[in-house]
């Protein structure tokens, strides 16, 4: 089976479904940070699908959909239109927005970040 990038219509289906699962507090934050989906460049893995869909911006962070791994992520950026970090979390949108709320409230990221495998020899303890 060949991978195909997610269409904007399919992405909207995921967004609308997630909005229905958001708590009132998370939904209020979501309403204030969401943007119409737009493709942003990511140099490591994003070139295959023409970039990744960014769906929210807050400060120096964005929430974006990794359609290779089928999940939402929160990453930093320096230049608008270009993701600075690649993650492969498989979170639902409401989890990613909840994490942004946790960062605002506590100053700490509450989600462990999953990156791509790093080549090299695994060493047992």
């Amino acid at each position: 089976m060949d991978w195909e990038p997610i269409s904007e219509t399919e992405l909207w289906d995921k967004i609308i479904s997630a909005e229905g699962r958001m708590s009132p507090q998370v939904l209020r934050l979501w309403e204030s940070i969401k943007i119409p989906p737009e493709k942003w460049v990511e140099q490591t893995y994003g070139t295959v699908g023409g970039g990744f869909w960014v769906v929210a911006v807050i400060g120096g962070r964005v929430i974006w959909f990794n359609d290779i791994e089928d999940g939402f992520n929160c990453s930093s950026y320096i230049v608008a239109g270009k993701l600075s970090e690649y993650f492969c979390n498989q979170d639902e949108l409401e989890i990613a927005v909840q994490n942004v709320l946790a960062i605002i409230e506590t100053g700490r990221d509450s989600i462990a970040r999953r990156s791509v495998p790093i080549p090299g020899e695994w060493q047992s303890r």
Side-chain angles (χ1 to χ4, degrees), residues 78-92:
I78 297 169
V79 176
K82 183 177 179 183
L83 296 171
S84 296
E85 302 170 301
Y86 176 87
F87 294 112
C88 53
N89 288 23
Q90 295 173 327
D91 296 329
E92 297 294 336

Side-chain angles (χ1 to χ4, degrees), residues 28-98:
R28 282 191 302 273
L29 175 60
W30 168 246
E31 290 293 333
S32 68
I33 66 173
K34 71 180 181 178
I35 63 169
E38 58 185 50
K39 288 269 188 143
W40 280 32
V41 176
E42 193 285 318
Q43 296 300 320
T44 312
Y45 295 96
T47 56
V48 176
F52 291 111
W53 290 105
V54 169
V55 298
V57 178
I58 183 166
R61 294 178 184 258
V62 294
I63 296 176
W64 58 282
F65 185 72
N66 183 334
D67 49 352
I68 297 170
E69 296 291 335
D70 193 34
F72 289 89
N73 297 273
C74 183
S75 296
S76 65
Y77 76 97
I78 297 169
V79 176
K82 183 177 179 183
L83 296 171
S84 296
E85 302 170 301
Y86 176 87
F87 294 112
C88 53
N89 288 23
Q90 295 173 327
D91 296 329
E92 297 294 336
L93 177 58
E94 66 272 22
I95 301 301
V97 178
Q98 176 65 49

Side-chain angles (χ1 to χ4, degrees), residues 94-107:
E94 66 272 22
I95 301 301
V97 178
Q98 176 65 49
N99 183 52
V100 170
L101 184 59
I103 292 168
I104 292 168
E105 291 177 341
T106 68

